[in-house]
Amino acid sequence: MAQVAILMGSKSDLAVVKPAVEILKNFGVKTEVRVISAHRTPEEAHDFSLNAIKNGTEVIICAAGKAAHLGGVIAANTTLPVIGLPVKTDMMGGLDSLLSIVQMPSGIPVATVGVNAGENAGLLALQILGVKYPEIAKKLFDYKKKMRDKINSDDDALQTELGQF
């Protein structure tokens, strides 16, 4: 069974993480959610990243705000794909988090989604897993078809509405 770990620097990030958890679970992916801080629990972050593969994790999502070093710290110690999920902050609206995550040094890539974009973090993890798991790729295809059908239906309704004027 596919497995994704979602780490957040603080429990207060849970609201941002929940959409990722929900979409992963809806796709039948085992999900481990933890609070691990790059700065306040560096030993735990180090141990988690070193043991992630052995523990069955295949993709890691790291949600963090402000300095937002969690994704980079985790990526430094694993070959697994790491997805950074920047969390909105009061100071700069999440721009500080976003820049902290996307500006990784050479050799330590962290894929990054938009600020507070938990659902997209989950979907990106699913797309990565879809390379290995055909059943996930098929569910993603169906998911995207459903989105496309809704937009086409909305467009048809709009055309009908506007045609009446």
Side-chain angles (χ1 to χ4, degrees):
M1 171 186 263
Q3 183 172 321
V4 173
I6 302 177
L7 311 180
M8 54 189 150
S10 170
K11 189 177 176 196
S12 64
D13 300 334
L14 184 58
V16 174
V17 164
K18 275 187 177 181
V21 174
E22 290 171 8
I23 195 135
L24 289 165
K25 288 189 175 188
N26 287 342
F27 275 72
V29 173
K30 183 177 177 184
T31 307
E32 174 186 15
V33 182
R34 301 274 312 273
V35 176
I36 297 178
S37 170
H39 303 107
R40 292 169 288 200
T41 59
E43 294 86 5
E44 287 83 350
H46 184 260
D47 290 344
F48 181 90
S49 59
L50 288 177
N51 293 301
I53 293 172
K54 180 178 71 174
N55 292 332
T57 301
E58 295 172 276
V59 179
I60 303 170
I61 297 171
C62 294
K66 298 182 181 174
H69 293 141
L70 183 58
V73 167
I74 297 298
N77 290 306
T78 186
T79 57
L80 292 173
V82 176
I83 300 168
L85 173 53
V87 175
K88 184 177 179 183
T89 60
D90 291 334
M91 181 183 297
M92 297 178 70
L95 181 60
D96 48 345
S97 309
L98 175 66
L99 294 174
S100 291
I101 295 171
V102 299
Q103 291 299 110
M104 288 293 105
S106 181
I108 310 297
V110 174
T112 309
V113 297
V115 175
N116 281 9
E119 183 176 357
N120 273 353
L123 287 167
L124 181 55
L126 289 167
Q127 288 183 185
I128 292 166
L129 292 169
V131 172
K132 179 179 178 183
Y133 297 97
E135 66 277 11
I136 292 175
K138 169 73 169 96
K139 287 180 184 178
L140 276 167
F141 179 84
D142 294 343
Y143 177 87
K144 289 187 176 195
K145 182 183 182 312
K146 187 175 177 181
M147 283 193 308
R148 183 175 64 247
D149 291 347
K150 168 139 181 22
I151 294 298
N152 287 333
S153 175
D154 289 349
D155 183 51
D156 290 345
L158 177 66
Q159 298 311 310
T160 300
E161 180 182 329
L162 292 177
Q164 296 175 3
F165 293 104

